[in-house]
Amino acid sequence: MKPFTYERAATPADAAASAARTPGARFIGGGTNLLDLMKLQIETPPHLIDVGHLKLDRIEDTPEGGLRIGAHVTNTALASDARVRRDYGVVSRAIVAGASGQLRNKATTAGNLLQRTRCPYFYDTNQPCNKRKPGSGCGAIGGYSRQLAVIGTSDACIATYPGDMAVAMRVLDATVETVSPGGAKRAIPIADFHRLPGSTPHIETTLVPGEVITAVTLPKPIGGTQMYLKVRDRASYAFALVSVAAVIQRDGSGRVAVGGIAHKPWRVEAAEADMPRGAKAVAARLLAGAKPTQDNAFKIPLVERTLAAALAEAKAA
Amino acid sequence: MKFDTPATTNPIDRLRVVGKPTDRIDGKYKTTGTAPYAYERHDVVANQAYGHIVGAAIAKGRIERIDLAEAQAAPGVIAIVTAADAGPLGKAQTNTAKLLAGPDVQHYHQAVAIVVAETFEQARAAGALVRVEYARAKGAYDLAGAKSGAATPDKSEHPDSAVADFAGAFAAAPVSIDATYTTPDQSHAMMEPHASIASWQGDKLTLWTSHQMIAWSKRDLAKTMGIPAANVRVDSPYIGGGFGGKLFLRADAVMAALAARKAGRPVKVALARPMIANNTTHRPATIQRIRIGARRDGTITAIGHESWSGNLADGSPEMAVQQTRLLYAGANRMTRTRLALLDLPEGNAMRAPGEAPGLMALEIAMDEMAEKLGMDPVSFRVLNDTQVDPEKPERPFSQRQLVKCLQDGAAKFGWDKRAAKPGTVRDGRWLVGMGVASAFRNNMLMKSAARVRLNDKGVVTVETDMTDIGTGTYTIIAQTAAEMMGVPLDKVVVKLGDSDFPASAGSGGQWGANNSTSGVYAACAKLREAVTAKLGLATDAVFEDSRVKAGGRSAKLTDAARDGELVAEDLIEYGDLDKKMQQSTFGGHFVEAAVDSYTGEVRIRRMLAVCAAGRILNPKSARSQVIGAMTMGAGAALMEELAVDKRFGFFVNHDLAGYEVPVHADIPHQEVVFLDEVDPQSSPMKAKGVGELGICGVGAAIANAIYNACGVRVRDYPITLDKMIDRLPQVA
Ligand SMILES: Cc1cc2nc3c(=O)[nH]c(=O)nc-3n(C[C@H](O)[C@H](O)[C@H](O)COP(=O)(O)OP(=O)(O)OC[C@H]3O[C@@H](n4cnc5c(N)ncnc54)[C@H](O)[C@@H]3O)c2cc1C
Ligand code: SF4
């Protein structure tokens, strides 16, 4: 870890302004991802701005009938909130499928959205990695890529976005609210929030430098059977090989987003029209153009089969 | 004490303390955080500085240049040591690669430098400023690719074995299989990383460390540093797991010693978790070919097992064929071990080396064979039991209750409910099956010494350099001394892990419990002689209730020490009993597993192990050993694999996020049964080992349960869903 300076911001606008003043500064939420990366010198921010004291730790009803989740609401608080469990079960289930109780107590909503990839080459500073060190090459391509992406990849990077919560938020069409260094507020649809790697895998979201997340809003509840199926090698405490967030209505229509297969939560709205026809049809459209490696080609049938499990579960519900 | 005739009745047989499920005496320290591990021994020496090891960034090649300027100028830095200024270093026989690289690099993350600073953070930050230029060399990193060039290893004792005409009998067998299995490289992944504090007093070196074998550590540290062994003291009272990863001297110890010498003050070092997989040893991957031929009635007529593994030059092979020489009958036999040259980190012992990966393969082959024969897998194994060494029929087993382990286990587990046809039992979306495997591990005899003291308070103190690696050694040694001296457990003090104490067998190869308690038995026998002499009692006196009784007379034990402490030291040494009879431990593993019919995820539902392993000195700690080993076996079956980057030559998933081991949710229910057994051939304790037996065969029992559940046979471990998904039944 490199020495760094630390400040506690008083308002989101102050936090954003401060970040704009210090190139390379980072916000710190629970620190469960950022501090690990700093210890390994994968991230080396000279300055940390603590966003834990901005009074962004409330979950409120919105006038539109949805929910506004403060950026600093912990994963535990969010997953156990009665309204979330009742109306947005997929979010609650996705969160508790991730990490561990201790980590969820510390992890925040904004930090969770922004957690970085678990590509093992990203984690080893001896290895080439375009995401960690732009232009150094990609160690994973041609290497060990079992966990990595099968779709939306580029010649520069095949990493996945590893998180669970964001996959559920994607299926619910959440919106990310921010404040920019100039003080301007914006609301970014979650579909546009995470980016594909392209030739700039180190740029992972559409946030501009210094932009601070203040909340995530969920639209009015959409009902249905809400599921989060997370497939992994061990029963708990592991990142998804593939995860499926699904909301299935009684008439067989529904929505699906997939985790563990791309640089962002993967959803193809057009594919959902095929939901009543079953998992095979949906998966075929969802995964059109996929380019798996030899190590991770299994994710293609796995997505279909996991979606089939979700549809069967919904039918039985 | 020379143990060269079978044990007769002795004080241990009273079983007043030995054999009881006593809580661990160190348990309260461990659970309250007051058992200091090596890195936490802040009080043993003042002024400790922090060392951080920099590992090689390449797998093979040369260090062209190291630029230390930036690191040296970094805040808090006290000293930096590299091969350039470490002075001449020896290499212990037990180390394959050097523990400090330079100019050659032999494997990834081999230590190239240690940076010493005032704080841990400063040392680590400065470590990142050590600039090393390498010249990469081409290396061999792929076992399958190197297999054809594999040679007969020199180091192993019996690379080949042959009885009668294997090839002919196999060709003639009406029922046979010929299958190839693979096991991956595995990491010990113990909780406590390798850690040491080194301190020099003149030319004398003290090392507070975490090590399974104190005498080896002392010998090898002296050899590496080029100093007399008499000048080295090693101390390791608490060890947070080893599994074979702490059998041999490692870089933490040597680099701490070098750093402390250069810094002129004590230095502490722990290997950072991401370095452990590549810097230290691992269980090497194997490719195993098994051929079994049988008559239609199930009698095995030919059994052959070949194994290939890789290692650095002068490294040893994984002896995966070991158990196949002894486990089943069969008139025509062969085994063959071959070793390929690889430039991956050093392969070496990990919990039950040989048998653990060997049985993972052999016991699947037995399942496949039973199916071909249309036999129940338990019956097939029972039919092919042998009570003698199949290669030397004049050598019986000292004790062999494999059949009872399997039959009792089958009855207890409800094996009769297993559907013989795979893929036929459903529970919702899960396909459910049962699997069985034999467990087998040899019993090894090693000499072991101890010193015992009796004071005028009636306290018996045991001193031996034996280690407790989390296994319960403190407790079983206390039980042994209490039994021998006829005192309650709370009158026994056990001191372990200090090289100033008599040299013990150490902890490894499941030999620790039997041999170290036998050493304590020998020392106590000597102390008993001193006591009876002092009290003027006959030597056949009975020691109980803190009294000594003989010939109608009785005296307080404390009376013997009223003029001063009595001290006795002895060691147990063995004759050739283990040559005349084969000493092994046996078990039967039973597993019920479920496979998600959609995703192929495997979840174990129940596990049972029935073990026959001599006298069980403490059923509670023995059970903990076996359930721990079963858990590790579940890891081996389902998830553990060091992934090799075959281009750059390193284990990629080198932390505990990437290298998955089982979590609680993976292990819902375990049961362990120990059969009543005493083995008078093994030692005066009549005990053997269980700590490794528990892992032997588990993986195959799980593999067989998976097959029985879903009908997919996977021969390459770990059995992850990607290896099954395209063979699972269609889903809607
Ligand atoms: C062992 C382990 C296992 C895990 N397993 C899982 C898992 O199975 N599934 C899963 O989904 N996750 C898992 N995680 C990841 C975990 O969910 C994240 O670490 C956590 O959610 C991050 O939240 P945080 O508040 O601690 O973020 P931090 O570490 O504090 O921050 C993460 C990033 O977000 C930025 N940031 C924080 N707050 C703001 C803000 N308000 N505005 C703008 N930027 C901000 C930071 O600058 C940083 O770049 C695991 C983590 C660990 C360590
Ligand atoms: S896949 Fe992306 S994160 Fe992984 S090594 Fe390549 S560039 Fe880096």
Side-chain angles (χ1 to χ4, degrees):
Chain A
M1 189 178 283
K2 285 196 172 165
F4 57 88
T5 52
Y6 169 90
E7 88 177 271
R8 257 184 201 181
T11 66
D14 285 357
S18 172
R21 274 195 303 275
T22 321
R26 286 277 185 280
F27 303 117
I28 178 164
T32 61
N33 190 213
L34 181 61
L35 293 176
D36 281 0
L37 295 169
M38 287 169 65
K39 288 174 194 168
L40 295 165
Q41 294 204 10
I42 295 161
E43 298 231 32
T44 51
H47 184 60
L48 289 188
I49 302 160
D50 193 334
V51 290
H53 303 270
L54 308 180
K55 303 199 171 56
L56 300 176
D57 54 359
R58 278 189 293 266
I59 304 175
E60 303 158 335
D61 297 325
T62 62
E64 295 78 26
L67 224 46
R68 187 166 188 279
I69 303 155
H72 205 71
V73 171
T74 67
N75 286 179
T76 298
L78 181 56
S80 58
D81 182 88
R83 289 162 294 183
V84 173
R85 292 179 53 181
R86 186 187 64 220
D87 296 332
Y88 306 99
V90 65
V91 171
S92 184
R93 293 196 176 98
I95 290 171
V96 297
S100 67
Q102 294 91 330
L103 285 158
R104 295 193 298 265
N105 287 341
K106 201 74 189 133
T108 64
T109 305
N112 192 321
L113 277 181
L114 290 171
Q115 64 178 289
R116 305 199 67 193
T117 188
R118 295 278 160 176
C119 170
Y121 296 86
F122 174 72
Y123 267 84
D124 186 335
T125 47
N126 291 329
Q127 303 304 323
C129 171
N130 288 324
K131 186 185 279 297
R132 175 169 31 77
K133 198 172 169 202
S136 62
C138 170
I141 295 175
Y144 171 65
S145 57
R146 181 169 180 268
Q147 298 276 348
L148 303 187
V150 297
I151 194 160
T153 55
S154 71
D155 291 344
C157 179
I158 57 170
T160 55
Y161 170 78
D164 294 301
M165 182 192 78
V167 184
M169 289 179 166
R170 176 72 180 92
V171 91
L172 294 177
D173 288 329
T175 306
V176 182
E177 295 184 358
T178 68
V179 174
S180 294
K185 296 185 178 176
R186 28 173 210 160
I188 309 166
I190 192 151
D192 303 333
F193 184 75
H194 293 102
R195 293 165 40 113
L196 290 178
S199 57
T200 53
H202 58 291
I203 304 172
E204 292 167 352
T205 67
T206 48
L207 292 176
V208 298
E211 191 170 1
V212 66
I213 299 175
T214 52
V216 174
T217 54
L218 299 177
K220 233 166 61 186
I222 56 168
T225 302
Q226 304 205 356
M227 284 164 289
Y228 190 77
L229 303 190
K230 182 173 177 183
V231 182
R232 44 192 155 171
D233 290 322
R234 65 180 171 192
S236 174
Y237 204 37
F239 289 92
L241 294 168
V242 156
S243 68
V244 165
V247 180
I248 311 292
Q249 306 295 344
R250 287 214 172 280
D251 62 2
S253 69
R255 306 177 178 185
V256 59
V258 180
I261 62 166
H263 205 252
K264 57 191 287 188
W266 194 256
R267 183 171 170 204
V268 177
E269 276 85 344
E272 291 164 5
D274 281 335
M275 210 63 115
R277 290 180 51 212
K280 199 176 194 74
V282 179
R285 287 178 75 180
L286 196 62
L287 298 174
K291 273 204 287 183
T293 67
Q294 204 182 329
D295 285 357
N296 65 23
F298 71 93
K299 290 190 177 187
I300 304 289
L302 187 56
V303 168
E304 181 192 318
R305 296 182 74 103
T306 310
L307 179 57
L311 295 179
E313 206 171 287
K315 204 172 258 175
Chain B
M1 177 181 285
K2 181 106 183 197
F3 184 77
D4 49 9
T5 54
T8 53
T9 303
N10 68 38
I12 299 296
D13 294 323
R14 294 180 300 178
L15 298 180
R16 290 176 155 219
V17 197
V18 170
K20 296 276 186 290
T22 311
D23 284 350
R24 278 200 220 171
I25 57 182
D26 52 329
K28 55 180 175 289
Y29 309 123
K30 299 232 168 119
T31 49
T32 55
T34 49
Y37 289 92
Y39 200 75
E40 302 162 337
R41 299 194 69 185
H42 314 298
D43 56 338
V44 290
V45 58
N47 206 24
Q48 299 173 13
Y50 292 80
H52 176 81
I53 296 178
V54 179
I58 62 165
K60 190 177 184 184
R62 277 176 67 84
I63 297 171
E64 298 280 43
R65 218 168 71 85
I66 303 188
D67 181 353
L68 297 178
E70 262 182 283
Q72 254 149 359
V77 170
I78 300 163
I80 303 177
V81 182
T82 69
D85 62 351
L89 290 180
K91 184 164 81 66
Q93 246 173 9
T94 49
N95 291 130
T96 299
K98 294 190 297 178
L99 297 175
L100 173 59
D104 291 336
V105 173
Q106 293 168 289
H107 63 85
Y108 195 67
H109 275 172
Q110 189 176 25
V112 298
I114 180 165
V115 180
V116 184
E118 295 292 345
T119 70
F120 166 73
E121 288 76 12
Q122 288 171 334
R124 187 176 56 182
L129 299 173
V130 172
R131 311 279 178 220
V132 189
E133 279 171 37
Y134 299 97
R136 241 181 237 270
K138 237 175 99 75
Y141 308 117
D142 177 22
L143 177 60
K147 180 179 166 229
S148 58
T152 307
D154 324 315
K155 269 201 177 170
S156 58
E157 280 176 53
H158 301 284
D160 295 341
S161 73
V163 175
D165 174 21
F166 169 76
F170 181 73
V175 184
S176 65
I177 61 152
D178 177 351
T180 297
Y181 305 85
T182 65
T183 63
D185 297 288
Q186 293 176 345
S187 189
H188 304 85
M190 75 298 272
M191 286 259 257
E192 184 202 18
H194 302 73
S196 292
I197 302 172
S199 171
W200 292 85
Q201 308 86 36
D203 54 3
K204 290 199 165 29
L205 171 62
T206 306
L207 189 80
W208 295 273
T209 190
S210 178
H211 210 273
Q212 297 173 231
M213 303 292 298
I214 299 304
W216 294 1
S217 165
K218 172 180 163 136
R219 176 195 68 198
D220 293 348
L221 183 57
K223 169 104 196 258
T224 308
M225 298 301 295
I227 60 176
N231 287 359
V232 176
R233 182 179 156 230
V234 173
D235 187 36
S236 183
Y238 296 106
I239 296 123
F243 307 122
K246 294 174 183 164
L247 280 174
F248 312 112
L249 185 72
R250 298 303 319 169
D252 58 307
V254 173
M255 299 307 281
L258 290 170
R261 190 162 68 189
K262 177 139 184 206
R265 61 190 265 200
V267 172
K268 66 160 67 176
V269 179
L271 293 187
R273 181 65 67 183
M275 271 194 80
I276 292 178
N278 287 283
N279 177 274
T280 73
T281 60
H282 65 279
R283 189 200 299 283
T286 64
I287 299 172
Q288 301 180 47
R289 180 185 184 197
I290 296 179
R291 284 174 285 175
I292 303 176
R295 292 203 292 263
R296 293 206 189 281
D297 69 357
T299 309
I300 294 177
T301 53
I303 183 160
H305 192 160
E306 294 160 84
S307 172
W308 291 261
S309 59
N311 216 332
L312 291 163
D314 299 327
S316 45
E318 182 69 24
M319 293 301 293
V321 306
Q322 213 155 254
Q323 70 291 321
T324 308
R325 299 177 58 193
L326 288 162
L327 188 50
Y328 296 114
N332 302 280
R333 327 177 59 87
M334 71 84 85
T335 67
R336 191 177 289 153
T337 300
R338 293 293 177 269
L339 180 62
L341 214 53
L342 291 182
D343 297 294
L344 290 171
E346 173 179 346
N348 213 318
M350 178 166 142
R351 201 172 196 170
E355 279 98 335
L359 284 163
M360 284 167 78
L362 177 65
E363 288 300 285
I364 296 186
M366 288 295 285
D367 203 63
E368 297 197 56
M369 194 63 191
E371 188 182 34
K372 268 201 159 178
L373 287 158
M375 281 181 81
D376 177 83
V378 171
S379 314
F380 176 53
R381 287 175 171 85
V382 169
L383 177 71
N384 288 290
D385 184 49
T386 172
Q387 291 294 314
V388 298
D389 175 348
E391 290 179 8
K392 298 191 192 81
E394 66 283 6
R395 277 182 84 222
F397 283 89
S398 61
Q399 297 279 340
R400 178 167 165 132
Q401 300 198 70
L402 174 63
V403 168
K404 190 166 165 55
C405 289
L406 291 168
Q407 289 177 338
D408 284 14
K412 192 168 177 62
F413 200 68
W415 183 254
D416 55 343
K417 308 228 165 42
R418 171 181 176 270
K421 194 167 161 9
T424 52
V425 179
R426 260 194 185 265
D427 175 9
R429 58 192 253 207
W430 296 92
L431 295 160
V432 186
M434 292 190 208
V436 67
S438 299
F440 172 91
R441 175 79 175 151
N442 281 332
N443 183 52
M444 282 182 259
L445 300 179
M446 308 260 285
K447 65 182 183 204
S448 193
R451 184 158 57 219
V452 276
R453 303 170 182 276
L454 172 70
N455 72 10
D456 59 357
K457 307 275 183 310
V459 173
V460 176
T461 302
V462 184
E463 296 169 344
T464 165
D465 84 354
M466 182 59 192
T467 48
D468 187 327
I469 58 175
T471 43
T473 316
Y474 277 105
T475 314
I476 55 171
I477 283 182
Q479 288 173 278
T480 304
E483 194 80 76
M484 287 299 286
M485 301 312 297
V487 298
L489 210 51
D490 62 8
K491 287 282 189 197
V492 181
V493 174
V494 180
K495 296 183 176 172
L496 300 181
D498 188 332
S499 64
D500 285 349
F501 296 152
S504 72
S507 300
Q510 80 170 12
W511 65 61
N514 180 44
N515 293 290
S516 71
T517 54
S518 294
V520 173
Y521 174 98
C524 286
K526 229 181 196 172
L527 184 61
R528 285 164 63 112
E529 283 171 22
V531 168
T532 50
K534 183 84 190 172
L535 296 175
L537 289 171
T539 51
D540 63 353
V542 173
F543 286 62
E544 59 188 28
D545 306 326
S546 297
R547 300 191 70 84
V548 190
K549 304 169 196 166
R553 281 180 53 209
S554 161
K556 285 198 289 199
L557 182 64
T558 45
D559 289 348
R562 73 182 157 231
D563 303 330
E565 191 183 54
L566 296 184
V567 185
E569 181 175 333
D570 201 2
L571 86 165
I572 192 87
E573 293 176 281
Y574 298 92
D576 62 352
L577 287 176
D578 62 336
K579 304 272 176 319
K580 292 186 189 141
M581 289 194 190
Q582 175 59 36
Q583 297 184 11
S584 305
T585 61
F586 296 89
H589 283 292
F590 293 82
V591 170
E592 182 178 315
V595 180
D596 187 316
S597 59
Y598 287 92
T599 62
E601 286 166 287
V602 177
R603 299 291 177 249
I604 292 172
R605 295 190 163 189
R606 303 187 285 142
M607 307 174 88
L608 165 70
V610 181
C611 304
R615 172 172 280 152
I616 299 305
L617 302 172
N618 180 331
K620 190 169 185 178
S621 55
R623 177 180 184 277
S624 294
Q625 280 300 292
V626 176
I627 62 174
M630 289 158 78
T631 303
M632 213 163 172
L638 299 177
M639 60 195 85
E640 289 186 43
E641 172 174 22
L642 286 168
V644 180
D645 185 307
K646 292 171 188 155
R647 308 158 304 168
F648 302 135
F650 72 110
F651 299 129
V652 183
N653 52 340
H654 51 60
D655 59 29
L656 290 181
Y659 186 84
E660 288 182 16
V661 299
V663 294
H664 283 91
D666 292 301
I667 311 291
H669 181 86
Q670 295 178 313
E671 207 173 339
V672 181
V673 174
F674 294 107
L675 297 187
D676 254 339
E677 184 173 300
V678 286
D679 194 337
Q681 305 287 329
S682 74
S683 76
M685 301 302 292
K686 305 174 186 174
K688 291 186 282 202
V690 295
E692 297 190 329
L693 179 65
I695 195 177
C696 294
V698 185
I702 295 167
N704 297 338
I706 292 170
Y707 175 72
N708 184 244
C710 69
V712 179
R713 182 62 81 184
V714 179
R715 299 188 183 86
D716 302 295
Y717 290 98
I719 306 174
T720 44
L721 58 90
D722 45 311
K723 295 172 187 165
M724 295 195 278
I725 194 149
D726 53 1
R727 289 185 278 163
L728 288 173
Q730 282 296 312
V731 292

